[in-house]
Amino acid sequence: MSKSEAANKRRNLLVACGFTAMFTWGFLAFVQIGRYAVEGTLFARVLDGRPYTNDFVSYYNAAVLGRRCFTEKIDIYNIDIQNESLNRLIAPVVPELPFFLQYPPYFFVLVSPLAFLGMLPAWLVWISTGLFLMFCTYGKLASPSYPQLSKQRLLFALVLSSFPCWLSVQLGQTSLFLFAATASFFCLLEEKRGAFAGAVSGLHMIKLQYYPVIGLVGLIFGRFKFLVGAAGILALLLGLSVFVLGLDNVIHYPQALLKGEAGPGISGVSPHAMQNVRGQLHVLVGGDLPVVRYVSLGALVAGIAFVGWLWGFAREKLCRFELHGFRLLAAVTILIMLVTSPHTHSQDYLLLALPAVMLRPWLDERCAGAGAAHLRFARALLIWWPAASWVMFFLMQLAPLTRVQPFFVWALCLLLPVLVEIVTILRKEPVQAS
């Protein structure tokens, strides 16, 4: 056996061992969720003397309130009504602060069928649907670069083994559906099916903090067709909301959104745990001070403006030089969306799996040349992301000491080398025909 063959054999063995360790860890982590379910502590329990409540309880509570609106008129954004209903769901555990869900009114309508099931069966239906949509959309996104079904399944298994996916499943988080919506959105835009992309963006309207970026990209690339699709789905959602919840609940939503963001004495907004500009500034200055909010708002505006410039002015030139131009811009857009959004938590970094599959083929090509150390660094970040996400989970607990929000820093370290390369590409002069 030659030295090169022996080296390849050792490398393949190490890769196989790494995959086995990653999948074993992920499997055991999901087993722990099963234990919580069997013990009856999945949705509410006491940890270190303090009550813990699963996010899905708030979603199920929204379903209960939405179902009640079919038979009686209630104010779904009344904190007392929300809290009284939620406390009945998690008794005997009592939360320290009232929970307040400031999701749009159509969310209450869309989840209302879950109220016909018990909370555990509803959670099972919810996460099963989310994971199925993830599997379908991720396979679609990965298929151009990874046409073999076996590789697509391997990639999805790695996504499942990551901490953000595990956390999303445990919490029953809407990030599962956000993942599927974002993958579908960019696939449809890439296929120039703007109207369908606009309709799919309706799921992003549930997490409104991400819609400015998604909507801007859709308008620039999909144009009128996207606008028709987005306007159509929004009209449908608002119409259903008025029909089921009543006009008052729809009109009061902006006030409820402000109440949830700035209202004292309620739970639901946790700047100290956010993995974005806001969360990073929070741990640096020691609180959600006005300067933190102003700088975070400035970062959001700057991020939206930069995304608009990329898609509106730089895209044409970039795509002339790069076969993967569209996917390169899509990946950068997702990363900018994550780091500059005013609300980004660790479970939202499940979206990192999308830039991973979109950037990897491009990075493989660029890393083949000399002087690509910054891109090899970015490539390593993508390859190690599923395993590193668990390390970042433990580092999150040290954020008050380290003054670092690990998921935010990871995304920034991935984004900056890619942006440097994009700027380098855009500085090239177009080749003149002889």
Side-chain angles (χ1 to χ4, degrees):
M1 182 183 295
S2 65
K3 289 184 178 180
S4 61
E5 289 176 341
N8 286 334
K9 187 175 181 179
R10 286 194 297 270
R11 183 178 63 84
N12 292 335
L13 181 61
L14 287 174
V15 170
C17 290
F19 280 149
T20 302
M22 188 71 237
F23 296 148
T24 301
W25 180 279
F27 174 76
L28 294 176
F30 279 100
V31 168
Q32 183 61 40
I33 296 178
R35 286 183 56 189
Y36 290 147
V38 171
E39 294 169 356
T41 58
L42 176 61
F43 303 117
R45 55 186 179 271
V46 177
L47 295 174
D48 299 326
R50 301 188 64 182
Y52 161 82
T53 304
N54 192 312
D55 287 358
F56 183 73
V57 176
S58 292
Y59 303 156
Y60 187 77
N61 192 40
V64 171
L65 295 176
R67 183 184 174 186
R68 283 178 59 184
C69 287
F70 280 94
T71 56
E72 59 178 310
K73 183 178 180 180
I74 61 171
D75 181 1
I76 61 171
Y77 293 117
N78 182 290
I79 295 179
D80 294 331
I81 291 177
Q82 282 199 16
N83 197 47
E84 179 185 358
S85 178
L86 186 140
N87 285 347
R88 286 198 297 267
L89 296 174
I90 63 173
V93 176
V94 179
E96 292 180 327
L97 292 173
F99 273 82
F100 183 67
L101 184 70
Q102 69 256 36
Y103 274 27
Y106 37 81
F107 179 78
F108 291 74
V109 178
L110 294 175
V111 299
S112 59
L114 294 176
F116 291 92
L117 304 172
M119 193 150 56
L120 182 58
W123 174 80
L124 288 170
V125 169
W126 177 260
I127 63 168
S128 297
T129 304
L131 290 174
F132 174 74
L133 292 174
M134 279 180 58
F135 177 77
C136 294
T137 55
Y138 200 56
K140 174 70 173 175
L141 187 71
S143 59
S145 303
Y146 304 94
Q148 302 94 336
L149 188 59
S150 59
K151 287 191 176 181
Q152 294 176 22
R153 289 173 176 172
L154 176 62
L155 288 171
F156 189 68
L158 286 171
V159 174
L160 288 178
S161 301
S162 68
F163 169 72
C165 188
W166 176 84
L167 184 63
S168 296
V169 170
Q170 186 205 178
L171 298 179
Q173 255 287 333
T174 51
S175 49
L176 298 172
F177 297 90
L178 181 69
F179 179 102
T182 306
S184 295
F185 172 78
F186 284 110
C187 281
L188 290 167
L189 280 187
E190 190 175 29
E191 296 170 355
K192 294 183 171 54
R193 300 167 69 186
F196 289 100
V200 165
S201 74
L203 284 175
H204 293 94
M205 295 175 189
I206 292 173
K207 284 203 168 188
L208 285 175
Q209 66 266 33
Y210 297 122
Y211 202 78
V213 170
I214 292 295
L216 180 61
V217 172
L219 281 174
I220 293 174
F221 195 83
R223 299 186 180 181
F224 182 71
K225 290 182 179 179
F226 172 84
L227 182 61
V228 170
I233 196 67
L234 179 60
L236 176 62
L237 291 173
L238 290 178
L240 285 172
S241 301
V242 172
F243 177 75
V244 175
L245 307 176
L247 183 60
D248 288 346
N249 281 318
V250 176
I251 293 175
H252 292 162
Y253 172 63
Q255 181 182 354
L257 188 61
L258 181 62
K259 183 192 304 181
E261 174 63 29
I266 61 174
S267 180
V269 177
S270 306
H272 67 278
M274 292 180 183
Q275 300 294 313
N276 52 10
V277 171
R278 182 179 179 183
Q280 183 59 62
L281 291 174
H282 187 282
V283 297
L284 287 177
V285 304
D288 197 33
L289 304 178
V291 64
V292 172
R293 297 186 183 184
Y294 296 145
V295 174
S296 300
L297 179 60
L300 173 64
V301 173
I304 294 171
F306 186 68
V307 167
W309 176 78
L310 283 175
W311 286 91
F313 300 99
R315 173 175 54 87
E316 184 177 349
K317 185 175 181 180
L318 184 67
C319 290
R320 284 205 305 268
F321 287 109
E322 286 294 336
L323 178 64
H324 306 286
F326 178 91
R327 292 195 162 207
L328 177 58
L329 287 182
V332 167
T333 298
I334 293 170
L335 291 171
I336 293 174
M337 184 173 74
L338 286 171
V339 299
T340 62
S341 164
H343 285 262
T344 306
H345 289 275
S346 54
Q347 62 267 13
D348 296 320
Y349 278 84
L350 178 59
L351 288 177
L352 270 183
L354 303 181
V357 78
M358 290 190 283
L359 284 177
R360 178 68 187 276
W362 176 76
L363 286 172
D364 287 345
E365 292 179 5
R366 306 292 292 189
C367 288
H374 62 301
L375 294 182
R376 284 193 285 272
F377 174 69
R379 183 172 176 267
L381 289 178
L382 287 180
I383 292 173
W384 288 100
W385 169 73
S389 66
W390 288 97
V391 178
M392 288 186 276
F393 159 62
F394 293 109
L395 290 176
M396 283 174 59
Q397 319 309 315
L398 302 176
L401 297 176
T402 62
R403 303 295 178 91
V404 169
Q405 296 290 17
F407 284 94
F408 166 74
V409 172
W410 185 277
L412 209 58
C413 289
L414 175 59
L415 175 63
L416 292 178
V418 176
L419 286 180
V420 168
E421 191 66 15
I422 288 177
V423 171
T424 302
I425 295 170
L426 291 176
R427 284 179 176 174
K428 291 181 180 179
E429 290 297 330
V431 179
Q432 298 295 327
S434 58

